[in-house]
Amino acid sequence: MQVHRLADYRDCEAALRNTGLRQALYDAGEVITKDTLLVLHGEAHQKRREVEIRVFRRNFFKYYEKEVFPATLEETIAPFVAAGGGDLIELGYRLTVNLTADFAGVDRPARTPEETAQLIRLVKKMSEGATMVHSTRDKDELTAEVREALAEFDRDFLQASIARREDLIAQVERGEVEEDTLPRDVLTVILKAQDELQFTQAQRVREIGFYMQAGSHSTANSVVHALEEIQTWAGEDQARWKRLEDPVFVQHCVHESLRLHPASPEAWRKSVCPMSVQGAGDMPEGDRVELDLFNANRSEAIFGSDAGTFNPDRDVPVGVMRSGLAFGIGVHVCLGRELDGGLVAKPGTDPAKAQFGIVPLIVIKLLELGARRLRDDPPTPDTKTKRPNWGRYPVKFTKEIA
């Protein structure tokens, strides 16, 4: 097998759209990723995607942003506000794990801090498993830990969530309740499509576990990267801090940070047949193509001479996302892209009419509270992975919200 490395933006974009290349980055983490939507290819992927995309009915993202998330945000951030700050990694996970659980279909009947802490612990371990290719730990030891986490997740969360939804689906089929009373989540749609999918329980655990770790892990890290970039950019410039009072501008800041810090700094693909790949040339079946998304998103040819720096006022070419390739593109584009990043609003848009996305909304709230790094307790990187993530990020809140 030959490895081809691509870093040009247009080459990476073309490779992501190439249906002759299958997902390969997550093969090492098959303990959780095996047979999930993330790694399926071709007809199998299309069939699974067609089922799961049913959860995204009209106005789904707007409904979550306007109806579900505000209460979750206020409830989760309250103890941190009372304490005057805290670890932003922990806050991010607490916010996103509950939101992702609602979206994925994982019930939390107790609604206690202990229950949330257990779910966060399990999700973090599943995230370690999914990104095993970049882990600095012993792979066999980590695989065993992930298996234990999946078993605990199944026993303590998923089995009861399945049972409740199967009962509700049966009530709909008997005509006792209307179908629009069913939960709007991934678990419900795959249970309704059981005849199509023929999921085993192990596949259900991996599929929902994949959604839980993907939604929580990437969103929490994106929040921290965005706040770090914003603080560094604003510095001591009060005019810049004043601009950050505009939520539409903050959304632009977040998308600029997403460009610089994609959730996965690279994507791997394997050729499923002999083919020609833009930027790599002819290759036989089984060759690997590694897409350097981190550097592709910093392409000066696409984003200008200052592409490697944070510039929220950046003009981007027509047809190019402000976040670059951060959410992927093509058949494996992130299903939660609109939920996480919203719809990019034009300057001057009425904030009441904008769909900001979860990450911008969290950052907007943090800025309202005056979130700042601690000079005597600086943030530290996550040493368990080769990915450029933060391990801890202590902040203090310097403002009070009436």
Side-chain angles (χ1 to χ4, degrees):
M1 178 190 71
Q2 185 175 351
V3 176
H4 310 263
R5 188 82 176 174
L6 301 179
D8 177 81
Y9 186 92
R10 294 302 184 187
D11 289 346
C12 289
E13 182 182 46
L16 290 172
R17 293 187 186 277
N18 191 330
T19 57
L21 297 173
R22 71 163 181 85
Q23 177 72 264
L25 183 65
Y26 299 97
D27 291 354
E30 67 174 2
V31 62
I32 182 171
T33 63
K34 182 181 178 182
D35 297 331
T36 64
L37 179 68
L38 179 67
V39 301
L40 290 179
H41 184 74
E43 185 178 346
H45 177 268
Q46 182 179 354
K47 182 178 179 180
R48 181 79 60 81
R49 189 180 178 91
E50 285 175 353
V51 169
E52 296 182 358
I53 206 168
R54 295 171 191 169
V55 74
F56 307 118
R57 300 199 299 267
R58 188 178 182 184
N59 291 329
F60 170 84
F61 296 116
K62 186 175 182 180
Y63 158 75
Y64 258 75
E65 179 172 318
K66 303 297 184 183
E67 303 296 331
V68 176
F69 188 65
T72 299
L73 177 59
E74 294 301 327
E75 177 185 347
T76 306
I77 206 169
F80 291 85
V81 173
D87 184 1
L88 195 54
I89 301 291
E90 180 186 356
L91 171 59
Y93 263 101
R94 285 187 175 273
L95 279 168
T96 57
V97 80
N98 283 306
L99 180 73
T100 306
D102 286 332
F103 162 69
V106 178
D107 294 339
R108 289 91 65 218
R111 289 284 181 175
T112 61
E114 293 76 18
E115 182 186 63
T116 298
Q118 179 189 11
L119 192 55
I120 290 173
R121 173 174 56 81
L122 296 175
V123 167
K124 285 184 175 180
K125 188 57 63 178
M126 289 188 280
S127 293
E128 276 195 81
T131 58
M132 197 174 299
V133 69
H134 292 138
S135 177
T136 59
R137 297 188 53 207
D138 179 83
K139 302 302 190 287
D140 291 337
E141 180 180 320
L142 178 54
T143 296
E145 292 175 2
V146 175
R147 285 201 182 99
E148 291 178 4
L150 287 169
E152 184 180 343
F153 174 65
D154 183 26
R155 182 193 69 222
D156 292 355
F157 291 96
L158 196 57
Q159 289 180 19
S161 300
I162 289 172
R164 185 172 79 85
R165 282 160 181 78
E166 287 181 333
D167 181 58
L168 291 170
I169 291 169
Q171 291 180 45
V172 170
E173 291 174 346
R174 293 193 298 266
E176 296 171 3
V177 297
E178 296 296 323
E179 182 153 353
D180 62 7
T181 63
L182 291 175
R184 301 176 67 171
D185 55 51
V186 175
L187 181 57
T188 298
V189 297
I190 66 174
L191 289 173
K192 288 178 64 182
Q194 178 60 20
D195 290 344
E196 293 178 67
L197 300 177
Q198 295 294 307
F199 267 21
T200 64
Q201 181 60 10
Q203 286 176 310
R204 290 171 179 169
V205 174
R206 288 195 297 271
E207 189 78 355
I208 300 303
F210 147 63
Y211 273 101
M212 286 296 301
Q213 69 83 20
S216 301
H217 179 74
S218 60
T219 305
N221 279 293
S222 294
V223 168
V224 182
H225 283 307
L227 189 66
E228 169 68 12
E229 289 287 0
I230 286 170
Q231 288 182 96
T232 302
W233 171 80
E236 301 299 323
D237 189 330
Q238 294 306 307
R240 288 187 170 185
W241 284 112
K242 184 66 177 177
R243 293 186 67 192
L244 290 164
E245 295 176 8
D246 175 9
V248 171
F249 178 68
V250 175
Q251 186 196 43
H252 288 195
C253 290
V254 169
H255 278 258
E256 175 73 347
S257 177
L258 287 167
R259 180 184 67 83
L260 293 170
H261 306 282
S264 177
E266 57 187 355
W268 290 4
R269 298 289 189 266
K270 277 189 178 180
S271 53
V272 299
C273 60
M275 63 176 64
S276 179
V277 174
Q278 180 176 314
D282 295 336
M283 64 179 63
E285 177 183 350
D287 269 13
R288 189 169 77 211
V289 182
E290 297 182 354
L291 313 179
D292 184 350
L293 303 182
F294 183 87
N295 283 307
N297 271 2
R298 295 164 183 246
S299 167
E300 293 187 4
I302 302 296
F303 297 103
S305 59
D306 64 342
T309 62
F310 180 82
N311 175 11
D313 295 312
R314 182 180 310 283
D315 290 324
V316 298
V318 174
V320 173
M321 303 286 290
R322 293 190 68 88
S323 54
L325 300 173
F327 290 105
I329 204 166
V331 296
H332 278 286
V333 65
C334 176
L335 287 176
R337 179 178 67 183
E338 192 176 319
L339 180 64
D340 253 9
L343 300 174
V344 180
K346 295 180 179 179
T349 297
D350 180 356
K353 297 180 180 179
Q355 186 176 327
F356 289 109
I358 299 308
V359 176
L361 284 175
I362 296 173
V363 175
I364 289 166
K365 184 66 174 180
L366 290 170
L367 291 173
E368 288 177 353
L369 291 165
R372 301 288 188 275
R373 291 181 300 251
L374 300 179
R375 292 185 178 180
D376 57 351
D377 190 9
T380 56
D382 185 352
T383 58
K384 299 190 297 298
T385 180
K386 297 174 185 176
R387 294 189 174 195
N389 294 334
W390 295 103
R392 54 188 297 276
Y393 197 98
V395 298
K396 62 180 179 180
F397 297 140
T398 61
K399 298 180 181 178
E400 294 184 4
I401 303 296

